[in-house]
Amino acid sequence: QTVQKSAARLLTKSLTLFTLAPERWYLALLGFAEHFRTSSPPKIRLCVHCLQAVFQFKPPQRIEARTHLQLGSVLYHHTKNSELARSHLEKAWYISQQVPQFEDVKFEAASILSELFCQQNLVDSAKPLLRKAIQISQQTPYWHCRLLFQLAQLHTLEKDLVSACDLLGVGAEYARVVGSEYTRALFLLSKGMLLLMERKLGEVHPLLTLCGTIVENWQGNPIQKESLRVFFLVLQVTHYLDAGQVKSVKPCLKQLQQCIQTISTLHDDEILPSNPADLFHWLPKEHMCVLVYLVTVMHSMQAGYLEKAQKYTDKALMQLEKLKMLDCSPILSTFQVILLEHIIMCRLVTGHKATALQEISQVCQLCQQSPRLFTNHAAQLHTLLLLFPLDSNMLKLLFVFQLTTHQELWTYIVTNLASVYIREGNRHQELYSLLERINPDHNFPVSSHCLRAAAFYIRGLLSFFQGRYNEAKRFLRETLKMSNAEDLNRLTACSLVLLGHIFYVLGNHRESNNMVVPAMQLASKIPDMSVQLWSSALLKDLNKALGNTMDAHEAAQMHQNFSQQLLQDHIAACSLPEHNLISWTDGPPPVQIQAQNGPTTSLASLL
């Protein structure tokens, strides 16, 4: 009744405005609408009534088109009445094309309408609409660039990266012609990001070199310049990490961290750029901060600095929690999922499977809220679950092996599957078929330094189980050489302890000790619970053989402690309701799984 009375009073006031000049009654109704829209809480129904009242006065085309746009926008963003929103947006688009010099309304209507089409899974309607808008917007630099970005994004979501790259290339050339080096850099960096996704490294390197020159030479708004540098450095860092080059990336990562510190000290400038084509931002400052935390976590996880990874994950998740209270941007959920994926890996290494299961449940809940998020992360989610433990998850390994099209993840899964076959000892045909596909000496399927080093380790593990110790030592020394070159600490620790085991079997106790002691020290620093368990067992036997009774007793006590910790954690994990996730192999994540008293906190590498 209160709403009806307010609407009646409003209509009465509106009718008295009829005698006023069109601009005055229109502005009055618009003022009422905006008041209701920005009320706390928003009064969307009254806002819509005000805007609909405009049509009672038979307004001129300019006002009619703009009002249809405003109604369509309000209905699209604040209600579920998508059909009515679509109707108003289509009218705005149609009428505005008949009005000269009415670009803002025309192209905003096209932009929002194409978003609505995509939301309704009508991509084939969105594409021609955007293409036409792009075709007729060439004299309007801001909208031409914005619509090019929008169509490129649509193609990217459809996995049509070739078409998206072509559009971004067109945008870069257009920005150059209209004198916007800033937006040219945005287009080129976006294209570089897609080329990295396609693994077209031959095209990436010259493009990033060009981008680096443009960014350094551009003189403009300091925040915009630094944001370009962050974009550029994020691409460089992720390129190195994707290649498993943990040591080589350090200078770029340090520059990136310094750059984000610089941005955090700068104040946003309210002065608009003189070139309308420069009216773009890559990401808000707060989002960039989370992204830098994220790539730092990725680096720490790959390098085996797990305490550092935990520290930056906690900071990033705290920042995300604050941002999500005010911002519903989908990219924040993507950041959160990737952070959780990495911290789950940390939990598994440090012997906290129960906590890891609860965090996997959190990832499932996030994916339930977004079908696209689940599509993009389903393979990673299953891969994390198959590590509880590897031996009992053969079917899940095979399922994820078929699920993923991502070459690095595929190689990771094949490497893990090979390790399971090696330990089973009775799957020789399947094992050798897999090993042919991840031969580190010939046509290795990916460029990742880390995964190639891990493939040498798998060869060494197989030779060890087959009793071919000299061959095993050769493979493991190759792993050590590669892991030492890039500070792959977990892989180094695993290789050292396996070499120590080989020397122990061969009766060379002194050389075995020279391998196992540094392996134990490195595993303690990471900390890697499984390698510590393995190393302590070897140290116990070594010291017995060498007659070091006290050291043997100490090693036996350490081994007992590690065994108890791992056993207790395993029992705790099995008792959780989330443990049922391990049997999930197909379809969306189970709805009934809920995190219980869990922490509020992409796969990095094999080891």
Side-chain angles (χ1 to χ4, degrees), residues 140-160:
T140 313
Y142 167 74
W143 277 108
H144 191 67
C145 291
R146 177 169 163 175
L147 293 164
L148 280 167
F149 275 125
Q150 189 170 349
L151 184 55
Q153 183 183 30
L154 195 158
H155 282 298
T156 301
L157 293 174
E158 286 198 305
K159 310 296 184 187
D160 182 3

Side-chain angles (χ1 to χ4, degrees), residues 201-464:
L201 303 184
E203 296 180 49
V204 169
H205 295 147
L207 185 65
L208 287 183
T209 301
L210 173 61
C211 288
T213 303
I214 294 173
V215 171
E216 291 307 314
N217 292 339
W218 186 70
Q219 301 298 321
N221 182 305
I223 287 185
Q224 285 183 309
K225 184 179 177 71
E226 290 303 311
S227 71
L228 284 179
R229 292 191 71 227
V230 169
F231 196 172
F232 172 69
L233 288 167
V234 163
L235 292 185
Q236 283 199 313
V237 169
T238 51
H239 179 35
Y240 276 116
L241 292 178
D242 199 39
Q245 296 175 324
V246 175
K247 186 176 182 179
S248 301
V249 76
K250 286 182 179 178
C252 287
L253 183 59
K254 187 175 181 180
Q255 286 183 58
L256 177 59
Q257 290 164 343
Q258 291 171 342
C259 192
I260 201 66
Q261 287 177 350
T262 301
I263 284 184
S264 64
T265 64
L266 296 173
H267 297 289
D268 290 323
D269 234 336
E270 296 298 329
I271 301 172
L272 293 176
S274 56
N275 190 336
D278 287 343
L279 289 168
F280 293 96
H281 284 290
W282 174 50
L283 282 177
K285 270 197 304 189
E286 297 78 12
H287 292 197
M288 282 190 274
C289 288
V290 174
L291 181 57
V292 174
Y293 281 139
L294 174 55
V295 295
T296 303
V297 168
M298 292 168 67
H299 174 262
S300 300
M301 181 64 220
Q302 284 202 34
Y305 306 136
L306 302 195
E307 290 182 355
K308 186 177 180 182
Q310 173 72 65
K311 170 186 167 185
Y312 282 106
T313 298
D314 290 343
K315 286 186 176 182
L317 290 172
M318 192 179 301
Q319 184 79 0
L320 276 170
E321 189 177 340
K322 293 177 183 176
L323 289 173
K324 290 182 83 171
M325 292 172 68
L326 304 170
D327 187 347
C328 58
S329 174
I331 199 170
L332 296 179
S333 293
T334 300
F335 287 163
Q336 188 175 0
V337 166
I338 298 173
L339 281 162
L340 285 168
E341 286 172 355
H342 281 78
I343 200 59
I344 289 163
M345 286 293 292
C346 289
R347 309 288 192 206
L348 294 173
V349 174
T350 57
H352 297 94
K353 287 194 294 184
T355 307
L357 268 178
Q358 292 173 321
E359 287 164 338
I360 288 179
S361 179
Q362 290 182 49
V363 176
C364 289
Q365 291 173 53
L366 287 166
C367 288
Q368 286 167 7
Q369 298 165 19
S370 168
R372 182 173 292 138
L373 199 59
F374 176 67
T375 300
N376 292 336
H377 290 268
Q380 291 93 321
L381 193 53
H382 281 289
T383 305
L384 288 168
L385 283 166
L386 65 83
L387 300 173
F388 286 88
L390 272 173
D391 303 283
S392 63
N393 279 281
M394 181 68 69
L395 289 175
K396 186 176 280 293
L397 269 167
L398 292 169
F399 169 73
V400 185
F401 176 72
Q402 296 169 344
L403 179 67
T404 184
T405 57
H406 189 280
Q407 198 71 2
E408 275 74 14
L409 185 57
W410 177 89
T411 306
Y412 172 87
I413 294 164
V414 169
T415 307
N416 277 282
L417 194 54
S419 73
V420 174
Y421 286 160
I422 288 169
R423 281 179 285 172
E424 282 193 339
N426 58 0
R427 307 284 290 267
H428 303 298
Q429 186 176 349
E430 295 98 324
L431 172 60
Y432 286 114
S433 174
L434 289 179
L435 291 177
E436 284 179 13
R437 304 170 81 171
I438 54 168
N439 185 348
D441 288 317
H442 182 67
N443 290 335
F444 195 64
V446 294
S447 60
S448 172
H449 181 94
C450 178
L451 286 172
R452 185 164 173 263
F456 275 116
Y457 177 83
I458 290 295
R459 293 272 172 165
L461 186 65
L462 175 62
S463 299
F464 168 73

